[in-house]
Amino acid sequence: MTPDEYYFEEGCYITELHNTPADPLVSLARARVEVGRVTRWHSLDGIEERYLIVDGTGRLEMGSQAPRDVRPGDVVRIPSGCRQRITNTGPADLLFLVLCTPRFVRAAYRDLEPAAPVAP
């Protein structure tokens, strides 16, 4: 974990590389999914994403498409509002760059999984 990295409720770690209101058209972050982890089903309202896989291997599930295996060098375009999640299928952390257009804002994030039941 780097000093600027933080855990995001989606189930991965994020390092914001460029995300400022002064440049509203784009943001760039590094995402890290730990070994064996699956991010939560989610979507982004009004924001298109591109994932550039940097290290590790994974399985991307998106919309109604068949799951897709991803590896370093792969680029995946995720349309605005599209349901998605990614699984780390390899023996090391899955690292990828996330380019958002327009820039990522927390209010656009939609968790699509039901909340875990609360124990009595």
Side-chain angles (χ1 to χ4, degrees):
M1 191 161 170
T2 65
D4 296 331
E5 186 179 62
Y6 64 90
Y7 183 78
F8 190 65
E9 64 196 74
E10 175 186 328
C12 62
Y13 292 88
I14 299 292
T15 303
E16 296 282 354
L17 302 173
H18 178 77
N19 189 350
T20 174
D23 189 1
L25 299 180
V26 67
S27 65
L28 180 64
R30 185 190 80 148
R32 181 172 64 87
V33 180
E34 294 176 309
V35 174
R37 298 282 299 207
V38 181
T39 62
R40 295 179 63 82
W41 280 110
H42 67 283
S43 66
L44 296 181
D45 292 341
I47 298 173
E48 183 171 287
E49 294 179 278
R50 283 180 176 75
Y51 288 179
L52 169 59
I53 309 302
V54 174
D55 199 20
T57 57
R59 177 163 292 126
L60 178 73
E61 297 171 87
M62 180 175 61
S64 61
Q65 297 179 13
R68 173 182 171 180
D69 290 334
V70 292
R71 59 188 170 86
D74 288 347
V75 176
V76 180
R77 181 182 157 270
I78 303 169
S80 167
C82 185
R83 164 182 142 105
Q84 61 177 293
R85 71 179 178 180
I86 194 165
T87 303
N88 181 338
T89 59
D93 286 349
L94 173 63
L95 301 174
F96 53 100
L97 297 176
V98 183
L99 179 73
C100 292
T101 53
R103 79 180 186 96
F104 176 81
V105 290
R106 174 66 186 84
Y109 178 81
R110 299 286 176 257
D111 186 333
L112 301 177
E113 291 192 24
V118 177

Coordinates of all heavy atoms in Angstrom, one line a residue, residues 24 26 36 39 59-60 62 64 68 82-83 97:
P24 N -12.4 18.9 -15.6 CA -13.6 18.0 -15.4 C -13.8 17.0 -16.4 O -14.7 16.1 -16.2 CB -14.7 19.1 -15.4 CG -14.2 20.2 -16.3 CD -12.7 20.2 -16.0
V26 N -11.7 14.5 -17.4 CA -11.0 13.3 -17.3 C -10.4 13.1 -15.9 O -10.1 14.1 -15.3 CB -9.9 13.2 -18.4 CG1 -8.8 14.2 -18.1 CG2 -9.3 11.8 -18.5
G36 N -7.5 -13.2 -5.1 CA -8.7 -13.9 -4.7 C -9.9 -13.0 -4.5 O -11.0 -13.5 -4.2
T39 N -14.5 -7.5 -6.9 CA -15.1 -6.3 -6.5 C -16.6 -6.4 -6.6 O -17.2 -7.4 -7.1 CB -14.7 -5.1 -7.5 OG1 -15.1 -5.5 -8.8 CG2 -13.2 -4.9 -7.5
R59 N -10.7 -11.5 -14.3 CA -11.9 -11.8 -15.1 C -12.8 -10.7 -14.9 O -13.3 -10.4 -13.8 CB -12.5 -13.1 -14.7 CG -13.8 -13.4 -15.5 CD -14.3 -14.9 -15.4 NE -13.3 -15.7 -16.1 CZ -12.7 -16.7 -15.5 NH1 -12.9 -17.1 -14.3 NH2 -11.8 -17.4 -16.3
L60 N -13.2 -10.0 -16.0 CA -14.1 -8.9 -16.0 C -15.5 -9.4 -16.4 O -15.6 -10.1 -17.4 CB -13.6 -7.8 -17.0 CG -14.5 -6.6 -17.1 CD1 -14.4 -5.7 -15.9 CD2 -14.1 -5.8 -18.4
M62 N -19.2 -7.7 -17.3 CA -19.7 -6.4 -17.7 C -21.0 -6.6 -18.5 O -21.1 -7.3 -19.5 CB -18.7 -5.7 -18.6 CG -19.0 -4.4 -19.1 SD -17.7 -3.5 -20.0 CE -17.4 -4.7 -21.4
S64 N -24.3 -7.6 -20.0 CA -24.8 -9.0 -20.3 C -23.8 -9.8 -21.2 O -24.1 -10.9 -21.6 CB -26.1 -8.9 -21.1 OG -25.9 -8.2 -22.3
R68 N -14.9 -12.0 -19.4 CA -13.7 -11.8 -20.2 C -12.4 -11.9 -19.4 O -12.3 -11.1 -18.4 CB -13.8 -10.5 -21.0 CG -12.5 -10.1 -21.7 CD -12.7 -8.7 -22.4 NE -11.4 -8.3 -22.9 CZ -11.2 -7.2 -23.5 NH1 -12.2 -6.3 -23.7 NH2 -10.0 -6.9 -24.0
C82 N -23.1 0.9 -17.1 CA -23.0 -0.5 -17.4 C -22.6 -1.2 -16.1 O -21.6 -0.8 -15.4 CB -21.9 -0.8 -18.4 SG -21.8 -2.5 -18.9
R83 N -23.3 -2.2 -15.7 CA -23.0 -3.1 -14.5 C -21.7 -3.8 -14.8 O -21.4 -4.3 -15.9 CB -24.2 -4.0 -14.4 CG -24.0 -5.2 -13.6 CD -25.4 -6.0 -13.7 NE -25.1 -7.4 -13.7 CZ -25.3 -8.2 -12.6 NH1 -25.9 -7.7 -11.5 NH2 -25.0 -9.4 -12.7
L97 N -5.0 0.7 -14.6 CA -5.2 2.1 -14.6 C -6.7 2.3 -15.0 O -7.2 1.5 -15.9 CB -4.3 2.8 -15.6 CG -2.9 2.8 -15.3 CD1 -2.0 3.4 -16.4 CD2 -2.6 3.4 -14.0

